Amino acid sequence: MIPPRQPARVLIIAGSDSGGGAGIQADLKTVTMLGAYGATALTAITVQNTLGVSRVYPLPVDLIEAQARAVLDDIGADVIKTGMLGTPEVVEAVAGLIDEAGVGAVIDPVMMAKGGASLLDDTAQEAVRGLMVPRARLLTPNAPEAEALTGMEVRDLDGQRRAGERLLAMGAQAVLMKGGHIAHERVVDLLVTPAGESLFESERIDTRHTHGTGCTLASACAAGLARGLMLEQAVAQGWAYVAEAIRRAPGLGHGHGPLHHGWPLDD
């Protein structure tokens, strides 16, 4: 009997979402649906649902490191995906873990939950800017995150382009500038690399069920990269997966509802 081929491996370092729509829960659903194996190092436990975040309990740095090393020493990883980190100490520890692993990293610079709750200390923004941006194989900021990281205004496509170029100059290998927060009838995400740029554009879907889109997109890209796709292919696959997950959102909750991560099983 031919043994099964070892699956692509993604180590996810992020926080938990008790509502299941974002964070580690969304990451694992996404990575699994796109054909990779997801392992985790939990950074924080949040108490949240579609209406918002009511509590955040950060985990000790040594416990975060121990989780990640337990995975890396045994299972290994082809890509590391980061989400909610929270404090400068956690950012520093995760930067060290990325260096130790020696694999590409998809960095989602999570700063704020969909309902508006802050998920990144003000003092941690500088650590993300100095330590995580230069370690990003792919950085996936939305417009407010890009503004915080670069100090530049991001209100249109030109702003996305300029901020993306600034983030490349700060050390990121590639930047996916997400356009969902920009007021326009169409949503445009811009992939900026040293070799050029690619546009991903669609009509804006009129829905409140967009909780976890950032986590999902970053994890989808990480799964594609782990499986050996070229960057543009991984982003295109992830972008299409998220767009359909929004269209098929199950309508759960009374606030910003989750996506339908399992939609490929419906066909």
Side-chain angles (χ1 to χ4, degrees), residues 12-17 22-29 39-43 215:
I12 304 155
I13 306 177
S16 169
D17 172 4
I24 287 282
Q25 288 84 347
D27 296 330
L28 283 173
K29 295 172 190 176
T40 64
L42 198 63
T43 60
C215 303

Side-chain angles (χ1 to χ4, degrees), residues 64-80:
I64 298 169
E65 292 177 313
Q67 293 175 82
R69 289 200 175 98
V71 172
L72 293 170
D73 291 347
D74 179 30
I75 296 169
D78 299 295
V79 171
I80 290 176

Side-chain angles (χ1 to χ4, degrees), residues 11 39 60 72 81-82 89 94 105 118 122 166 202 221 232 248 264:
L11 171 58
L72 293 170
K81 182 267 178 181
T82 71
E89 293 77 17
V94 172
S118 176
D122 291 342
R166 174 69 62 83
S202 71
C221 294
E232 291 79 5
R248 303 196 194 193

Side-chain angles (χ1 to χ4, degrees), residues 114-267:
K114 184 70 67 179
S118 176
L119 299 177
L120 186 69
D121 288 354
D122 291 342
T123 54
Q125 290 188 18
E126 184 60 36
V128 170
R129 191 177 296 113
L131 295 175
M132 300 307 290
V133 171
R135 287 171 169 80
R137 172 69 183 88
L138 176 64
L139 185 72
T140 64
N142 58 33
E145 291 163 348
E147 289 183 340
L149 290 171
T150 65
M152 303 173 68
E153 189 174 85
V154 182
R155 304 293 169 85
D156 53 23
L157 182 59
D158 285 340
Q160 288 175 273
R161 182 175 291 112
R162 288 193 297 270
E165 291 171 349
R166 174 69 62 83
L167 290 165
L168 288 182
M170 292 165 60
Q173 295 180 44
V175 184
L176 181 59
M177 292 290 305
K178 297 178 295 189
H181 287 74
I182 295 173
H184 197 273
E185 65 271 12
R186 298 184 67 82
V187 175
V188 179
D189 290 355
L190 180 68
L191 176 64
V192 185
T193 74
E197 63 181 43
S198 301
L199 283 172
F200 301 88
E201 182 177 1
S202 71
E203 294 290 339
R204 186 176 296 274
I205 301 170
D206 184 15
T207 178
R208 61 181 172 86
H209 299 292
T210 56
H211 182 53
T213 50
C215 303
T216 300
L217 180 56
S219 289
C221 294
L225 291 172
R227 292 177 54 237
L229 297 183
M230 299 295 290
L231 176 64
E232 291 79 5
Q233 293 176 305
V235 172
Q237 174 186 266
W239 194 88
Y241 170 79
V242 172
E244 193 64 21
I246 296 172
R247 292 187 189 97
R248 303 196 194 193
L252 299 174
H254 297 89
H256 297 287
L259 316 183
H260 181 20
H261 293 94
W263 69 262
L265 298 176
D266 295 344
D267 296 333

